[in-house]
Amino acid sequence: MFTAEGIAELVREIRKEHGLPESPFKIDEVRYEPEGDKLFIIAHDRTDKSVVIGNSLVIGKLRERLGVRQVTVYSNLDLEIKREKLEEAEKLVEGTELEFLLSIIDAEKRFPPRKWPEVKGNVRTLVFLSFSAKPLLGFSKRLGLPHKAVGLKYTFPRLNYEPIEGTLGELFYPDEAKLAEIAEERNMELVLADFPFSFKKRGGVYFLNPFRLLHIGFFELKYLFGFEFPTMVDKVELLRFVAEMTYEGLMESTDGAKIVWRYWRKGR
């Protein structure tokens, strides 16, 4: 239905129509997912990816011309880094109570498209509503984890959770000691949050950032689970968080800039 050659020709046409330079690029492969009406374009490297995206203009016009619901561009390097991260993830969870994640990890190795098997995690879970609050809840529900949510007061008024005290910086860098204490008090074995690491154990409690473990970025999370922005943030910690996420390939620089602008403009 869609070919790399055909998409490449359309990209050149769109760039020419809108006065963009005739930059050389290569598309290695295209994959179409009929169920979600999604087209995945795999560019040769990150420079080729940038040409295809064209500051969001080209990718937007591509979606219109092709009549598909979603068009996403990856580079072969993006996917190779993801596979390496997933190999590390396998070693981290093997032999633990979270081995049920192995089938999800294996499915992610074949991404795109994303086809997760049905998984039932029977681990009592505390979800701390940090920056990726809605995706963390969505992940818990998707894996059938018996969970309870806690979060900072007034940060996510549209979500259902138990409010706890804390600083706004914890939205980006959760307090491990505090969450371990809450989990142990409630006989919970797992804590999900936006930790700056993917997975570790502290005492009798596992700490997991599922999106770092699976190397799923901000852009994809919005489509997978939706997104709810916190009502207020620590602006300095926000900058640090966005810079680290961008550096690690978990957030596009354009998304990071929009998030920073969203909060910083309020204080002008």
Side-chain angles (χ1 to χ4, degrees), residues 190-247:
L190 173 64
V191 179
L192 297 185
D194 278 293
F195 295 116
F197 52 83
S198 61
F199 177 77
K200 72 179 180 182
K201 191 174 185 181
R202 178 176 178 144
V205 180
Y206 291 102
F207 291 81
L208 174 67
N209 182 334
F211 313 125
R212 280 184 181 272
L213 186 82
L214 300 172
H215 202 70
I216 300 175
F218 174 77
F219 175 83
E220 295 172 66
L221 289 182
K222 290 188 295 182
Y223 283 98
L224 271 176
F225 302 113
F227 211 87
E228 187 81 14
F229 285 97
T231 55
M232 47 192 171
V233 300
D234 180 313
K235 294 179 182 177
V236 174
E237 296 290 38
L238 168 66
L239 277 175
R240 188 177 126 192
F241 178 80
V242 166
E244 290 176 355
M245 292 281 281
T246 303
Y247 177 77

Side-chain angles (χ1 to χ4, degrees), residues 2-4 7 27-43 49 52 59 62-63 66 68-76 79 82 108 110-115 219-220 223-224:
F2 300 106
T3 66
I7 299 296
I27 295 174
D28 287 343
E29 185 183 355
V30 294
R31 302 177 190 175
Y32 178 65
E33 181 190 33
E35 296 88 345
D37 194 23
K38 300 175 184 177
L39 182 68
F40 301 94
I41 300 172
I42 302 172
K49 173 182 171 180
V52 175
I59 197 75
L62 260 181
R63 183 172 56 80
L66 296 171
V68 296
R69 188 175 70 83
Q70 182 182 328
V71 178
T72 311
V73 186
Y74 297 93
S75 72
N76 268 314
L79 299 178
K82 182 178 177 73
E108 281 292 299
R110 296 186 290 276
F111 174 83
R114 176 168 285 112
K115 294 185 182 294
F219 175 83
E220 295 172 66
Y223 283 98
L224 271 176

Side-chain angles (χ1 to χ4, degrees), residues 1-267:
M1 183 178 182
F2 300 106
T3 66
E5 296 77 13
I7 299 296
E9 183 58 34
L10 190 51
V11 168
R12 283 189 282 269
E13 287 179 16
I14 293 169
R15 291 185 66 87
K16 185 176 180 180
E17 289 170 7
H18 293 273
L20 297 175
E22 295 183 14
S23 305
F25 66 95
K26 182 180 179 183
I27 295 174
D28 287 343
E29 185 183 355
V30 294
R31 302 177 190 175
Y32 178 65
E33 181 190 33
E35 296 88 345
D37 194 23
K38 300 175 184 177
L39 182 68
F40 301 94
I41 300 172
I42 302 172
H44 188 64
D45 60 29
R46 284 180 172 169
T47 302
D48 300 315
K49 173 182 171 180
S50 296
V51 175
V52 175
I53 292 173
N55 294 324
S56 297
L57 185 151
V58 176
I59 197 75
K61 294 296 179 182
L62 260 181
R63 183 172 56 80
E64 291 175 12
R65 297 276 188 93
L66 296 171
V68 296
R69 188 175 70 83
Q70 182 182 328
V71 178
T72 311
V73 186
Y74 297 93
S75 72
N76 268 314
L77 179 60
D78 293 331
L79 299 178
E80 182 57 37
I81 290 172
K82 182 178 177 73
R83 284 189 288 269
E84 289 179 5
K85 295 289 185 182
L86 292 170
E87 293 286 348
E88 296 171 9
E90 280 183 330
K91 295 173 184 176
L92 287 172
V93 302
E94 281 177 349
T96 74
E97 285 85 347
L98 302 187
E99 275 194 331
F100 62 87
L101 292 172
L102 288 174
S103 60
I104 302 292
I105 292 170
D106 187 59
E108 281 292 299
K109 287 182 180 180
R110 296 186 290 276
F111 174 83
R114 176 168 285 112
K115 294 185 182 294
W116 286 2
E118 290 299 320
V119 172
K120 182 72 173 177
N122 188 26
V123 179
R124 293 183 298 278
T125 303
L126 178 72
V127 180
F128 175 64
L129 301 188
S130 38
F131 182 69
S132 303
K134 198 167 183 179
L136 287 165
L137 289 171
F139 181 82
S140 301
K141 293 172 184 174
R142 176 67 177 78
L143 269 65
L145 293 167
H147 64 278
K148 296 290 183 182
V150 299
L152 303 179
K153 289 182 177 179
Y154 315 121
T155 49
F156 295 100
R158 295 197 292 185
L159 299 180
N160 185 26
Y161 66 98
E162 177 187 332
I164 60 174
E165 298 291 339
T167 67
L168 289 177
E170 291 173 41
L171 285 169
F172 307 108
Y173 301 97
D175 185 328
E176 294 177 43
K178 178 198 295 183
L179 295 174
E181 184 177 350
I182 294 172
E184 287 168 354
E185 286 175 354
R186 303 182 185 194
N187 198 29
M188 291 177 165
E189 306 156 278
L190 173 64
V191 179
L192 297 185
D194 278 293
F195 295 116
F197 52 83
S198 61
F199 177 77
K200 72 179 180 182
K201 191 174 185 181
R202 178 176 178 144
V205 180
Y206 291 102
F207 291 81
L208 174 67
N209 182 334
F211 313 125
R212 280 184 181 272
L213 186 82
L214 300 172
H215 202 70
I216 300 175
F218 174 77
F219 175 83
E220 295 172 66
L221 289 182
K222 290 188 295 182
Y223 283 98
L224 271 176
F225 302 113
F227 211 87
E228 187 81 14
F229 285 97
T231 55
M232 47 192 171
V233 300
D234 180 313
K235 294 179 182 177
V236 174
E237 296 290 38
L238 168 66
L239 277 175
R240 188 177 126 192
F241 178 80
V242 166
E244 290 176 355
M245 292 281 281
T246 303
Y247 177 77
E248 294 175 35
L250 292 170
M251 183 178 288
E252 295 290 338
S253 56
T254 50
D255 281 329
K258 288 175 184 176
I259 293 168
V260 170
W261 175 242
R262 176 192 184 98
Y263 289 105
W264 278 65
R265 67 181 176 179
K266 293 180 180 180

